[in-house]
Amino acid sequence: MIHPITDNRSRFTAWWLIWLTIGAVQSLLLHFLCDCTFSTAVTDGLSSALLLSLIAIAVWYPVTLLVPRNSGIIKAVSNHILIAAIALTLWILGVKLAVDLINGPSMVYDEFWNRWLLLRLGAGLFIYVVIVLSYHLMVSFDNITKKNIREASLEKTLRETELMALRSQINPHFLFNSLNSISSLTIDDPALAREMIIKLSDFMRYALSRKEQRFVPLLKELENMRLYLEIEKVRFGNRLVCREECEHGTHALLIPNMILQPLYENAVKHGVYESTEKVEVLVFCYLKEAVLTIKIENNFDPGMISRRGTGTGLENVRERLRLAYSGMASLQTSSEQGRFTVTLIIPALSSQDN
Amino acid sequence: MTESETSIKALIIEDEEPARKLVRHFLESHPIIEIAGECADGFCGAKLIRELSPDLLFLDIQMPRLTGFELLEVIDDRPEIIFTTAYDEFAIQAFEINAVDYLLKPFSRERFDAAVVKAVKKIAARGHSGEGKRINPDSRMEGSMPLNRIVIRKGTAISFIAVRDIEYIEAEDDYVMIWYPGGKALKQQTMKYYEENLPAEDFVRIHRSCIVAIDLIERIEPYGKETYRVLLRGGKRLPVSRSGYKALKDKISF
C-alpha cells in the first residue's frame, strides 16, 4: 500500500504546513508563557515538530507491515506499545540533543526541561496515538474497498459461468435447423408447422426458465426431452427411433433441470448427425437402494473417425453434478461395438427431502 | 429466356428431407435450373457429382460421413457452390474457395433467389472462360471444429486418415504426400495449411517441405556441417532445416 502522505503531493505540502504551524505555536508559547529565550524557544519548538513529523511518517510502515493482522489483540497491542516507546524516546532525546547542540548547554533550560518533561511526553503520545489511529482507519478503509472490488469481480465471473453453461446447453444450430424445417413445412403442411413451432416454444421455454427451479421431477425433464426428440424427428424422419423405459416410482424423483439435455444432444449428434443408418436412442431409468440410475444409449457408425467430440458437453454435465451433489453423483461413458452408453448415477431425492 | 440458354444441372446435397424440400420448392420458380439429383450424405454426393458432373451444388456443410468441405476435396471438377447451412462460422472458408453464396438457415425466398441469380451469371461467364480453377482453403476459421481427420480418394474410393495416424507430410510441387501406417496419399493442399491446422503439440515442421509427428522421432542426428536430420521409428530419415531445428528445439526442448 502506498504511503498516504509522502506519495501525495498536496497532502505532503499540507503536512509540512501543519507541522510548521505546530512548531511555531509551540515556540511562541515557550517564549511568552515559559520565559524561554527566543532562540531556545524556536529551537525547541521547531526541532520537536520536525522530529515528531518525521517519526509520524516513518511509523506508517510498522503500522501497516510489522503489526501482523489477525495475530491476536495482545500481540498487536504490545507491538504498538513497543513501537510507541521507541518512537517517543527517540523524539525526546532528539529534541534535547538539538537544543543543547544549537544553543549550548544551559542550566536554565535543563531545569525547564525537567519540569515540563511529563507534559511534553503526554502531548507527544497523544499526537502519536491520533496519527496511528488514522493510519489504521485508512488501512481498514482500503481493505474494505479492495474486498468490495474483489467481490464484484467474483460475482461477475459467476454470472458469466452461468451464462456460458446456459449457452452450451442449447446448441444454436439445433434452433436454426429446426426453424428451417418449420419454414419447409409451411409449404404444404401448415398444421404440422404450427405444431412444430409450439413444440419448439415449449422446449425453449423450459430450457430458458431453468434459473428459477434448480431441481425438477424426472418426469418433467423426460417430457421435455421427448419434445426435443420429436423436433429432431421432424428433421430426420424415421432415421431417428426413440424408446424410453422408466421404472415405476422414478418419475417423481428430482434431478437438476436440463441435465439430460446435453446427454440427449450427444446421442443425437454422434448417432443421427454422423450416420445414414437408422439410429436408436434408448433411455432407461431405475431406482435401487436410494440411487437413481439413468442410462442413455445410442448406436453409431464405429468405422467413422468422428469429427465431433470435444467432450465439453459431458464435461459440463460432470461439473453441474459436482456442484449439485458435491461428489455424490457420477457420470460414466462407455463405447463398444457401435453402441455408446452414458450412465448417470445420482442420489434419489424426492420433493420431501428437499 | 433465349434459345442459347441451356438448363443448368444442379444437385441438392443435404441430410434433412425438409431442408431439401425447401430448396426444391424455391427452385420451382427458376425453370432454368434442372434438379439432376439429391443426396442425404457426402459419400453419395461425391458419387453423384462424378456421375452427373453438375454445374451447381446446393451444399450443406454438416452431413453424415463426409462434410461439405471434405466432399469438395475429393472431387475433380468443382461445380459452382451455394452453401446452405445453420453454421455461420464457415463463411470465410466458403469465401476462400470461391463459393457463389452462403445461405444461412433459415433463409428467405428473396435471399435464395439472389443466390441463384448470381450462380446463373457465374456459370454463364464460366462457359466462355473455360473451367474454374479449384482452390482449397488455406486457413480454417477460428472456432470451427479441430482438424482430426483427412479425407482421401483412391480412384473412386473415399476414405479417411485419422490425424493421430499421420507419420509425416512431404511437399510435392502443388501437392502434399501424406504418409500413414497403411501407405501414402496425395492431396492437393499447401504445407502452410497443414502446419496451421494440425495440432501444434503433436506435429512440427522440420523443413520447408516436411512436417513430422513428434511422437515418431527416434533421434536427431548431425548431418553434414551445422545441419541435422531426424530418424523416425521405422528407419526413415528426414532432413531438418535451420528453422526446422529451432522449431524442433522449441517443441521438445532437448
Side-chain angles (χ1 to χ4, degrees), chain A residues 173 176-177 179-181 183-184 187-188 234-236 239 272-276 304-308 310, chain B residues 15-16 18-19 21-22 25 41 62-65 67 70 86-87 89 105-106 145 148-149 160-162:
Chain A
H173 307 123
F176 294 129
N177 277 319
L179 290 172
N180 194 56
S181 303
S183 172
S184 169
I187 300 168
D188 51 23
V234 174
R235 288 173 58 195
F236 295 103
R239 267 177 53 209
V272 189
Y273 291 3
E274 292 286 318
S275 165
T276 46
M304 287 312 274
I305 302 158
S306 176
R307 291 173 292 107
R308 305 167 197 270
T310 46
Chain B
D15 62 337
E16 296 173 35
K21 182 175 181 178
L22 192 66
H25 177 72
D41 71 86
Q62 298 300 335
M63 286 183 296
R65 302 169 85 182
T67 70
E70 285 170 339
Y87 292 75
E89 55 259 50
K105 291 174 184 170
M145 275 168 297
N148 58 3
R149 69 181 192 193
F160 291 102
I161 309 171

Side-chain angles (χ1 to χ4, degrees), chain A residues 144-161:
Chain A
I144 289 173
T145 320
K146 271 190 196 148
K147 203 175 152 204
N148 283 346
I149 292 172
R150 209 164 43 230
E151 262 171 19
S153 87
L154 224 123
E155 198 171 312
K156 195 167 155 255
T157 319
L158 199 75
R159 225 171 311 146
E160 273 167 10
T161 318

Side-chain angles (χ1 to χ4, degrees), chain A residues 224-240:
Chain A
N224 206 58
M225 290 306 103
R226 278 176 221 154
L227 275 180
Y228 172 73
L229 290 174
E230 276 166 36
I231 295 165
E232 290 286 49
K233 257 189 206 163
V234 174
R235 288 173 58 195
F236 295 103
N238 49 16
R239 267 177 53 209
L240 175 60

Side-chain angles (χ1 to χ4, degrees), chain A residues 36-163:
Chain A
C36 287
T37 63
F38 188 71
S39 81
T40 311
V42 171
T43 326
D44 185 311
L46 289 185
S47 64
S48 139
L50 178 73
L51 278 171
L52 198 54
S53 71
L54 289 178
I55 285 169
I57 287 174
V59 92
W60 162 261
Y61 296 102
V63 164
T64 53
L65 301 175
L66 284 184
V67 176
R69 281 161 209 154
N70 309 327
S71 66
I73 189 93
I74 295 172
K75 191 153 187 212
V77 167
S78 59
N79 273 344
H80 267 304
I81 290 173
L82 187 69
I83 295 164
I86 294 169
L88 291 175
T89 313
L90 281 175
W91 175 58
I92 291 290
L93 292 178
V95 172
K96 183 74 170 62
L97 196 68
V99 174
D100 284 355
L101 276 179
I102 291 164
N103 297 318
S106 139
M107 294 284 282
V108 184
Y109 182 72
D110 282 350
E111 194 207 327
F112 157 81
W113 174 267
N114 289 335
R115 195 181 330 147
W116 296 106
L117 184 59
L118 271 178
L119 183 62
R120 194 188 279 270
L121 264 175
L125 184 65
F126 174 73
I127 292 174
Y128 177 87
V129 168
V130 167
I131 286 168
V132 167
L133 283 179
S134 359
Y135 281 165
H136 270 294
L137 218 66
M138 282 179 203
V139 171
S140 20
F141 185 73
D142 189 65
N143 283 347
I144 289 173
T145 320
K146 271 190 196 148
K147 203 175 152 204
N148 283 346
I149 292 172
R150 209 164 43 230
E151 262 171 19
S153 87
L154 224 123
E155 198 171 312
K156 195 167 155 255
T157 319
L158 199 75
R159 225 171 311 146
E160 273 167 10
T161 318
E162 218 163 69
L163 196 69

Side-chain angles (χ1 to χ4, degrees), chain B residues 140-161:
Chain B
R140 282 156 58 90
M141 268 296 287
E142 195 64 38
S144 65
M145 275 168 297
L147 184 67
N148 58 3
R149 69 181 192 193
I150 291 170
V151 59
I152 54 170
R153 195 193 67 178
K154 294 214 161 139
T156 57
I158 296 166
S159 60
F160 291 102
I161 309 171

Side-chain angles (χ1 to χ4, degrees), chain A residues 218 222 244-253 255 260 282-297 332 341-349:
Chain A
L218 176 62
L222 286 174
E244 184 189 302
E245 279 177 27
C246 283
E247 259 182 17
H248 188 71
T250 54
H251 279 167
L253 297 173
I255 63 168
L260 297 183
L282 309 177
V283 182
F284 307 98
C285 341
Y286 44 86
L287 178 66
K288 197 179 170 191
E289 289 162 4
V291 172
L292 172 64
T293 304
I294 303 168
K295 224 181 229 185
I296 299 165
E297 283 183 23
Q332 289 151 11
T341 311
V342 179
T343 312
L344 183 66
I345 300 170
I346 55 177
L349 292 178

Side-chain angles (χ1 to χ4, degrees), chain A residues 1-40:
Chain A
M1 195 177 166
I2 56 164
H3 198 290
I5 293 155
T6 56
D7 290 332
N8 180 315
R9 187 167 255 199
S10 54
R11 267 192 233 158
F12 198 52
T13 317
W15 174 264
W16 288 117
L17 284 175
I18 291 167
W19 283 101
L20 198 66
T21 317
I22 293 174
V25 168
Q26 192 180 335
S27 307
L28 291 174
L29 286 174
L30 291 179
H31 182 56
F32 290 110
L33 295 179
C34 305
D35 296 330
C36 287
T37 63
F38 188 71
S39 81
T40 311

